[in-house]
Amino acid sequence: MAISKKTVRDLDFKGKRVLMRVDFNVPMKDGVVQDDTRIKAALPSIRYVLEQGAKSVVLMSHLGDPKKDMKKAQEKAAKENKPFDEQKYLSAKHRMAPVAAKCAELLGKPVKTAPACMGPETDAIVAGLANGEVLMLENTRFHKEETSKEQADREKMAKALATYGDIYVNDAFGSAHRAHASTETVAQYLPAVAGFLMEKELEYLMEKVVKDPARPFVAIIGGAKVSSKIAVLESLLGKVDRLIVGGGMAYTFLKAKGLDVGSSLVEEDMLGLAREILQKAYESHIYIYLPIDHIVTKEFSADAESWHVARGNIDADQMGMDIGPMTIEKFKGAIRGAKTIFWNGPVGVFEFDKFSKGTVAIANAMAELPDCVTVIGGGDSVSAVNKAGVASKMSHISTGGGASMELVEGKELPGVAALNNK
């Protein structure tokens, strides 16, 4: 299913300088990349433009939010009465050199680094790149213009970045929901196309989930809070055939139906909205599947003593931590026969092994479905399918939690809108 935006397949890269926005916002610890999934995801686009004869490839990405993250780290150090070394912290968490080294290792060729994202020194390095060389710019968020709310600030940075390429390729789906200088504004100054990762994300999320899902279409929405999923729940009600709600947010729905949920996580200010969603689903003949039994504890901890209880029988001092065996079977029945499944959010406190059984069971059930498009909408759901060991059996695992949710909500992503149409 083709997307409406131009991709790297639509342009001639021979002899061209390529400026490519990637999503190398990877977890770091002491200057070492902890998970290289996002780097690996960008390799096909990098390799393709090089194979097509690109003169040079200049990569750019953010890595955390240096200003905001450093402030938190400083406050933590002060609270613990520990010294704080600003440069050591930035090198360990926010500088691109270790990321460039990991990229070089995976790419199988050197990746040079620049001392800044832009400026005279970087200008000189870019100008001196030999045929086929790859350069990684420094963290884009070291420049306040990158995320500025002022269009003029973003344009200033975008114009500087645009001098580093003849063609702009955006392969950073995880940042496509941000109208930043390197993700959206720069596309105004160069021919702008999607990379392979961006193309795949749009193909699955936009075309196969939002626009034209094969039916029956089932959505599984979990996680802690209803408030963070309001827009996606309301959007999906107009698209799905069946909706499964699990995780902490399910208890707000259960309480809205008049059931006792004990001390389980409930957003009291969302009870009215939960009732509205239940009523809308009823009027639209869409069945919402909620937990019918639970694994409960008296404290929120990984090794807390637990009990199995039926829905409506949760005592005042007990909280739901996972779905029970009857709910697992009910949810498995709901996805049986589905042709499209979109999943965002675990159905229990899956980060605690003891309470991950429900989430893992759902992941395994999805992996066994024949002829079904299974799309994992980023965030904790990705960790869940990895924990279950079935990631390779999913049709698509999104690299952008926030971006994937906004797309499914029906929002236009600035980084996608800025790309050239076919």
Side-chain angles (χ1 to χ4, degrees):
M1 196 176 289
I3 66 170
S4 62
K5 296 294 180 178
K6 285 187 177 180
T7 73
V8 287
R9 293 186 187 86
D10 296 311
L11 296 185
D12 180 7
F13 287 92
K14 190 168 182 61
K16 302 292 186 181
R17 300 173 306 140
V18 177
L19 177 66
M20 187 181 295
R21 180 55 158 93
V22 290
D23 183 7
F24 285 177
N25 184 30
V26 296
M28 301 287 293
K29 185 177 180 181
D30 300 327
V32 178
V33 175
Q34 299 299 296
D35 184 339
D36 60 12
T37 304
R38 287 181 171 181
I39 301 173
K40 286 178 177 174
L43 295 179
S45 293
I46 299 170
R47 288 191 175 118
Y48 179 81
V49 297
L50 288 169
E51 288 164 2
Q52 296 301 307
K55 181 185 182 300
S56 60
V57 179
V58 175
L59 304 172
M60 55 181 176
S61 175
H62 73 287
L63 182 56
D65 189 330
K67 188 177 178 181
K68 193 183 294 182
D69 295 347
M70 186 163 70
K71 185 181 178 184
K72 288 180 186 175
Q74 285 172 325
E75 289 171 353
K76 184 173 183 284
K79 194 175 182 180
E80 297 171 355
N81 203 23
K82 291 180 179 178
F84 185 81
D85 187 323
E86 184 175 314
Q87 288 308 313
K88 185 178 179 182
Y89 170 79
L90 290 174
S91 294
K93 285 283 188 180
H94 297 290
R95 295 209 178 276
M96 300 303 300
V99 182
K102 175 58 72 172
C103 182
E105 176 192 322
L106 295 169
L107 190 60
K109 69 176 292 168
V111 175
K112 292 186 170 183
T113 55
C117 185
M118 57 186 187
E121 284 184 85
T122 302
D123 293 349
I125 294 171
V126 173
L129 289 174
N131 279 338
E133 284 196 315
V134 180
L135 172 71
M136 181 86 238
L137 298 182
E138 188 50 280
N139 190 339
T140 58
R141 290 195 186 173
F142 278 140
H143 297 267
K144 65 179 183 356
E145 296 92 344
E146 164 75 332
T147 59
S148 175
K149 289 181 170 58
E150 297 296 326
Q151 178 75 10
D153 289 341
R154 297 198 306 276
E155 287 178 350
K156 179 184 175 184
M157 181 172 176
K159 286 175 182 176
L161 292 172
T163 64
Y164 299 158
D166 304 309
I167 295 170
Y168 171 68
V169 176
N170 192 342
D171 215 22
F173 177 76
S175 301
H177 58 316
R178 308 292 189 195
H180 291 168
S182 69
T183 61
E184 184 257 356
T185 320
V186 70
Q188 298 173 21
Y189 304 107
L190 294 171
V193 298
F196 291 126
L197 175 62
M198 178 74 82
E199 178 187 34
K200 188 182 180 190
E201 294 274 15
L202 295 176
E203 178 191 345
Y204 275 93
L205 289 162
M206 178 64 82
E207 305 298 332
K208 295 184 178 181
V209 169
V210 175
K211 287 185 178 178
D212 190 23
R215 297 190 179 278
F217 174 24
V218 179
I220 306 168
I221 304 298
K225 295 183 176 182
V226 177
S227 55
S228 64
K229 304 282 174 79
I230 293 170
V232 78
L233 283 169
E234 291 181 332
S235 174
L236 285 169
L237 273 183
K239 299 180 175 72
V240 300
D241 299 295
R242 298 189 282 275
L243 177 62
I244 294 172
V245 177
M249 63 190 294
Y251 295 101
T252 298
F253 280 91
L254 291 171
K255 186 167 183 178
K257 293 185 75 170
L259 294 162
D260 292 329
V261 297
S263 62
S264 303
L265 179 65
V266 170
E267 291 179 278
E268 297 289 342
D269 59 339
M270 289 288 129
L271 291 172
L273 183 72
R275 292 188 191 100
E276 287 177 21
I277 290 172
L278 290 166
Q279 182 61 28
K280 186 177 178 182
Y282 174 76
E283 291 170 357
S284 303
H285 306 290
I286 295 166
Y287 193 84
I288 294 184
Y289 290 76
L290 292 165
I292 54 174
D293 63 332
H294 316 268
I295 305 301
V296 302
T297 66
K298 290 188 176 182
E299 58 178 306
F300 189 84
S301 68
D303 54 1
E305 184 181 3
S306 60
W307 299 268
H308 170 248
V309 300
R311 184 173 71 179
N313 293 328
I314 302 177
D315 291 341
D317 62 346
Q318 296 174 342
M319 66 182 78
M321 297 288 277
D322 195 9
I323 56 174
M326 291 187 291
T327 302
I328 289 174
E329 291 308 310
K330 182 182 181 183
F331 286 3
K332 284 166 71 173
I335 67 172
R336 197 171 293 125
K339 292 302 177 186
T340 303
I341 297 177
F342 174 75
W343 183 16
N344 180 276
V347 296
V349 188
F350 87 105
E351 58 266 35
F352 296 159
D353 286 343
K354 188 174 182 178
F355 307 110
S356 66
K357 289 178 183 174
T359 298
V360 169
I362 298 304
N364 284 325
M366 285 175 62
E368 293 167 6
L369 291 173
D371 305 317
C372 180
V373 174
T374 49
V375 180
I376 310 302
D380 288 338
S381 312
V382 178
S383 302
V385 293
N386 284 328
K387 187 168 190 169
V390 295
S392 63
K393 295 184 178 180
M394 299 298 152
S395 305
H396 180 63
I397 297 176
S398 180
T399 57
S404 65
M405 292 302 281
E406 288 197 15
L407 202 59
V408 173
E409 286 169 18
K411 292 180 181 176
E412 184 175 68
L413 306 186
V416 174
L419 300 176
N420 300 153
N421 292 319
K422 283 187 176 176

